[in-house]
Amino acid sequence: GAGVSQSPSNKVTEKGKDVELRCDPISGHTALYWYRQSLGQGLEFLIYFQGNSAPDKSGLPSDRFSAERTGGSVSTLTIQRTQQEDSAVYLCASSLDGRFYEQYFGPGTRLTVT
Amino acid sequence: EDKVVQSPLSLVVHEGDTVTLNCSYEVTNFRSLLWYKQEKKAPTFLFMLTSSGIEKKSGRLSSILDKKELFSILNITATQTGDSAIYLCAINAGGTSYGKLTFGQGTILTVHP
């Protein structure tokens, strides 16, 4: 079946604008994760959704970042008033319930803030 | 705060060499340690380790965990150019967030023909 998809694949935006990044997880995967990867760095956890439970937002770097997951499937990560330090690749992953170690990653969205 | 440190940050070898990648960690309520291979953008899962001293093996790759000394190693024998990638180590800690992973900065492995 189809893997995790993300859109757009690339996004260039001006400082101060808002952006929305979309993630479509694998069908049937109840867990969804967002990560950020800056150049030459490992993955930085942002937020994690598991079924109907309250999301773990502990990795969101500031209140300009928010995410939602509608209907237990598609997720949108929103960054308000973007800053240059927000430039990174944003990766989404999904997994089956309890199989957090076997996360399937999407191709990512490369965000560039000019 | 949970922390994962990988070494070396980069490594260049020739085909046929054996490499050892290191991962040390600090964590409260350790649950598991994971290794991923990242080629281009999307990481792929390699191993999950929960118990000390038990080697996980898949082909030319193997990994072992030492919970007393708080580290893990990933070995790759008879390296091939297709092994060139970033290797990421991550830990999963106990607590309220079951699925949260803390990643190290990765080791960039380059295998020359």
Side-chain angles (χ1 to χ4, degrees):
Chain A
V4 177
S5 61
Q6 292 185 244
S7 60
S9 55
N10 281 286
K11 176 73 177 176
V12 180
T13 191
E14 291 179 354
K15 179 181 170 181
K17 299 276 179 128
D18 298 352
V19 295
E20 284 190 352
L21 312 180
R22 178 187 167 106
C23 172
D24 279 277
I26 293 173
S27 177
H29 280 192
T30 56
L32 187 148
Y33 316 78
W34 282 99
Y35 297 91
R36 177 169 73 172
Q37 189 170 32
S38 302
L39 191 63
Q41 300 296 312
L43 274 66
E44 176 189 2
F45 168 81
L46 296 177
I47 187 169
Y48 156 56
F49 296 88
Q50 172 56 57
N52 295 323
S53 302
D56 179 347
K57 304 179 182 180
S58 62
L60 294 178
S62 77
D63 59 9
R64 296 186 296 104
F65 288 72
S66 63
E68 61 178 24
R69 189 177 185 192
T70 52
S73 181
V74 171
S75 177
T76 302
L77 177 70
T78 301
I79 309 172
Q80 296 178 309
R81 304 181 303 281
T82 51
Q83 304 293 313
Q84 287 186 328
E85 61 263 28
D86 299 335
S87 296
V89 175
Y90 289 81
L91 288 163
C92 173
S94 70
S95 75
L96 291 170
D97 185 20
R99 295 178 74 90
F100 61 90
Y101 50 90
E102 201 162 12
Q103 296 182 23
Y104 291 83
F105 284 80
T109 293
R110 181 176 297 280
L111 176 66
T112 304
V113 182
T114 60
Chain B
E1 185 179 330
D2 299 338
K3 189 176 174 184
V4 179
V5 177
Q6 293 185 243
S7 64
L9 293 181
S10 65
L11 191 54
V12 179
V13 300
H14 287 93
E15 273 192 319
D17 288 349
T18 293
V19 297
T20 298
L21 310 183
N22 303 290
C23 175
S24 63
Y25 61 89
E26 297 172 17
V27 63
T28 49
N29 298 322
F30 174 90
R31 182 181 283 136
S32 59
L33 184 144
L34 304 102
W35 285 97
Y36 292 84
K37 178 182 182 182
Q38 185 176 22
E39 297 171 277
K40 296 182 182 176
K41 287 183 184 174
T44 52
F45 171 72
L46 293 175
F47 299 113
M48 180 172 73
L49 301 134
T50 56
S51 302
S52 266
I54 298 176
E55 186 182 50
K56 290 284 182 89
K57 210 168 163 60
S58 176
R60 296 177 294 103
L61 277 67
S62 63
S63 183
I64 198 159
L65 173 67
D66 186 328
K67 287 169 76 172
K68 183 179 174 187
E69 300 298 329
L70 307 183
F71 77 91
S72 173
I73 59 172
L74 175 68
N75 277 318
I76 308 174
T77 59
T79 51
Q80 301 171 359
T81 54
D83 296 327
S84 296
I86 301 172
Y87 290 83
L88 296 166
C89 174
I91 53 170
N92 176 248
T96 56
S97 182
Y98 186 80
K100 179 179 175 181
L101 298 180
T102 301
F103 282 84
Q105 71 275 55
T107 293
I108 302 171
L109 175 65
T110 304
V111 182
H112 288 311

